[in-house]
Structures are given as C-alpha cells and as structure tokens.
C-alpha cells in the first residue's frame, strides 16, 4: 500500500490565512491570493510553543493562589480564590455556575497543559506513536482554548448582577488578571504549535526505508 504524498513532495504550501495551496516553484514569499507570508513550517514553532506554555504555567500558580473576587454581604467582605468560589457556589445551591467555573478554570487549563506537553515531547523525540490521534488532540485543544475565558465572563456577570442588590457587592481581584494571562498564553501556545511536525518524522522514516530498499 503506497503512502499518500505530502505537500513538500508536490512542492505545495498551504496559506494559513486563506487556505490556498500555493505552488512553491521559485520559493514565493507571499500567497498569490491574499498576500500573506508563506511558511512551509511555522518559524521556531517548538521554541515559541514551549515559551508560551511555560509562561502560562507560571501565571497559573498565582491565578489559583490569589483571590479572584471579593464578596461583600451586609458590610462584611471576603476574598475568594477560584476553588473557593467553586465551593461557595456549590454550597449555596448554584451547582451549575460552580460546574462551569470548575470546568473552565481547573479542568480545561489542566487538559491543555497535559496535551500540549505531550505533543511537544513526542514531536521532539520523533515519535511515530498515534500520529492521527495526536493531530485530533491538537484540534481539540484549539477548540476548547477559547472556552477558558468563561471563568472571567462568569465573574463579570455575577459582579454585575449582584450590584443590583443593595446589601451585596462583588469586586474582581488580582487573581482574575493572572487567570486571563493563563488563557491568553495557552491560546498563543496552541497557535504557535505546528501540527505538521507530527507527520514529518513519518515522512523522513519512509524516505529512509525506500532508500534502503533501493540500495538492495
């Protein structure tokens, strides 16, 4: 069974802006349709992905340790961390809001950290393990990345709703800023990764096998 050709064998490069498969004869620097720069592979993809991922991990620590909001009831104020807010909402019967915050603030970032680390390590090791599944995992990470902002939106909405009541008030705290930075840097990390690198090792291995067969 023959292996389908890759774009480099056909001298093609996909434009990341408009999706045009561009002919790379003469090594054009721009897409002929939209004028965006063409890259056979994203420049320094692994380095930039690691940098953004490590930055998001650093910001994730204060995002969980520092309070994200301050709740005042009848003059008495109390700061709440992300996990503390989840427990408070759950204890007061707002399990739906608690579940949304837990998924958006704890589960989603954790999944993205693990998935991106796995993708980076396997690509750097030249692994041929589960290439199709890893490509699907990368697309999944891209999709769920934007939903991490739900926690910031929930805090803003709850603060706006509570301000309508005379005896209660909610104000955002520094932790929500760090969490916003976590979301931004994990999104940048996912955007910097080049999923085509997952398949490059397979292509190079196929070439080595074909050369060995031809030599015999």
């Amino acid at each position: 069974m023959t292996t389908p050709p890759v774009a480099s064998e056909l001298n093609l490069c996909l434009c990341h802006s408009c999706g045009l498969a561009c002919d790379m004869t003469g090594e054009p620097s721009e897409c002929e349709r939209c004028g965006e720069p063409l890259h056979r592979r994203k420049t320094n993809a692994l380095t930039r992905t690691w940098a953004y991922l490590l930055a998001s991990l650093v910001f994730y620590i204060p995002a969980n340790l520092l309070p994200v909001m301050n709740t005042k009831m009848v003059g008495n104020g109390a700061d709440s961390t992300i996990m503390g807010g989840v427990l408070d909402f759950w204890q007061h019967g707002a399990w739906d809001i608690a579940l949304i915050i837990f998924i958006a603030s704890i589960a989603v970032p954790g999944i993205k950290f693990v998935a991106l680390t796995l993708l980076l390590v396997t690509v750097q090791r030249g692994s041929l393990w589960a290439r199709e599944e890893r490509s699907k995992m990368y697309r999944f990470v891209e999709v769920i990345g934007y939903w991490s902002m739900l926690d910031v939106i929930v805090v803003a909405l709850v603060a706006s709703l509570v301000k309508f009541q005379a005896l209660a008030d909610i104000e955002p705290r520094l932790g929500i800023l760090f969490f916003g930075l976590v979301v931004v840097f994990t999104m940048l990390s996912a955007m910097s990764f080049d999923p085509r690198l997952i398949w490059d090792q397979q292509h190079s291995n196929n070439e080595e096998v074909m050369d060995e067969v031809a030599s015999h």
Side-chain angles (χ1 to χ4, degrees):
M1 182 177 179
T2 59
T3 303
V6 296
S8 58
E9 293 177 335
L10 302 176
N11 202 29
L12 296 174
C13 179
L14 187 68
C15 174
H16 287 283
S17 178
C18 67
L20 178 67
C22 301
D23 185 1
M24 296 301 289
T25 303
E27 293 297 321
S29 60
E30 296 180 350
C31 173
E32 62 183 23
R33 180 161 65 184
C34 68
E36 284 296 311
L38 293 175
H39 303 286
R40 292 184 184 270
R41 294 293 181 268
K42 292 181 181 178
T43 307
N44 299 320
L46 295 180
T47 302
R48 290 189 293 116
T49 304
W50 271 120
Y52 287 132
L53 182 61
L54 292 175
S56 64
L57 282 168
V58 170
F59 288 128
Y60 191 62
I61 298 173
N64 282 275
L65 296 180
L66 294 177
V68 295
M69 61 182 178
N70 178 271
T71 306
K72 293 181 180 179
M73 298 291 292
V74 198
N76 296 322
D79 289 336
S80 297
T81 60
I82 292 177
M83 201 61 203
V86 171
L87 295 176
D88 286 340
F89 281 119
W90 188 274
Q91 291 172 356
H92 287 83
W95 59 268
D96 47 353
I97 297 179
L99 188 60
I100 290 174
I101 296 177
F102 178 81
I103 292 175
S105 307
I106 307 297
V108 169
I111 292 173
K112 292 177 69 175
F113 291 146
V114 173
L116 287 171
T117 301
L118 178 63
L119 290 171
L120 287 165
V121 171
T122 51
V123 166
Q124 288 185 320
R125 292 175 61 89
S127 174
L128 300 179
W129 168 74
R131 294 181 299 273
E132 183 177 351
E133 288 74 14
R134 280 188 283 149
S135 295
K136 292 179 180 178
M137 181 170 63
Y138 171 72
R139 291 195 292 270
F140 176 70
V141 168
E142 275 194 314
V143 170
I144 66 173
Y146 303 99
W147 293 95
S148 297
M149 273 297 184
L150 275 175
D151 186 46
V152 180
I153 296 173
V154 167
V155 172
L157 288 176
V158 171
S160 300
L161 291 173
V162 171
K163 285 183 182 295
F164 282 105
Q165 302 180 16
L167 300 178
D169 188 22
I170 289 182
E171 296 179 352
R173 285 292 186 257
L174 187 60
I176 203 68
L177 172 62
F178 282 103
F179 184 78
L181 291 173
V182 171
V183 174
V184 170
F185 276 99
T186 51
M187 289 171 60
L188 289 173
S189 181
M191 293 168 60
S192 299
F193 183 78
D194 195 335
R196 294 172 295 186
L197 296 173
I198 298 172
W199 301 93
D200 281 350
Q201 187 64 30
Q202 179 196 21
H203 178 53
S204 62
N205 284 359
N206 288 342
E207 288 183 339
E208 292 175 2
V209 171
M210 293 299 294
D211 291 340
E212 184 176 350
V213 172
S215 64
H216 290 288

